[in-house]
Amino acid sequence: MLLQSRLKIQSLLILLALSLSFISCKVQLIAPYDDGMVQQIETTAKEIDRFYLIMLEITPEEENGRAYATFQEQYINFEVELNSLLTKNKVKPVNEHSARICEITLQLWRKYKAEHKEQDYLSDGEIKLNRKTFDDLFFAMLSAEKGKQIANNPPE
């Protein structure tokens, strides 16, 4: 009887130790690296950069200058691309950080588009700031994907 009690206590202690070890372990799952996503991010980033550089080259005195209507179709096309990136990131499991970066990018795109539409003009300074903002956001997107690649295939 004493032996049975000791075995039960030992079993409980072993079970408790195992439980504590599992509790102290932290498993963090991340989405897999997606080369197609990287390609889309790079392409969209380059095109948005080109969009702002072209806008910067156009002076206000030129026909329609920097009027919103001149760039309306491009704004829509880029919003479609950003929506696509957001949707692709949202449907991937354990991908909240990348999806959040895309949400922020889309929110800012819409904000800057609305400001351009309201003012019907963007100054050189606004164009440069918008360009820098999107450069930073796309860098964050690419860094997140690169991090997934490293996490899923750690260097030896």
Side-chain angles (χ1 to χ4, degrees), residues 29-94:
L29 301 174
I30 60 168
Y33 171 77
D34 184 340
D35 191 55
M37 182 75 70
V38 169
Q39 296 302 319
Q40 186 176 1
I41 291 168
E42 288 175 341
T43 300
T44 305
K46 284 192 286 188
E47 291 303 314
I48 286 178
D49 192 40
R50 180 186 327 276
F51 169 75
Y52 280 119
L53 287 171
I54 288 169
M55 193 183 297
L56 199 55
E57 289 295 314
I58 296 174
T59 63
E61 295 78 31
E62 292 180 45
E63 186 180 337
N64 289 330
R66 293 180 183 163
Y68 172 79
T70 306
F71 302 95
Q72 182 177 7
E73 186 174 343
Q74 288 173 289
Y75 271 116
I76 293 167
N77 291 339
F78 290 127
E79 189 166 340
V80 167
E81 276 302 308
L82 294 172
N83 277 324
S84 171
L85 283 168
L86 176 59
T87 300
K88 287 177 181 178
N89 275 291
K90 277 181 152 181
V91 298
K92 287 170 107 178
V94 293

Side-chain angles (χ1 to χ4, degrees), residues 30-33 140-153:
I30 60 168
Y33 171 77
M141 284 184 212
L142 288 170
S143 296
E145 284 302 316
K146 186 65 175 174
K148 293 171 194 172
Q149 184 181 34
I150 292 168
N152 290 317
N153 300 304

Side-chain angles (χ1 to χ4, degrees), residues 1 15 23 32 51 54-55 69 83 85 91 94 97 112 116 119 134 138 152:
M1 179 120 160
L15 185 59
I23 290 171
F51 169 75
I54 288 169
M55 193 183 297
N83 277 324
L85 283 168
V91 298
V94 293
H97 293 99
Y112 296 163
H116 190 178
Q119 296 170 190
F134 287 108
F138 284 115
N152 290 317

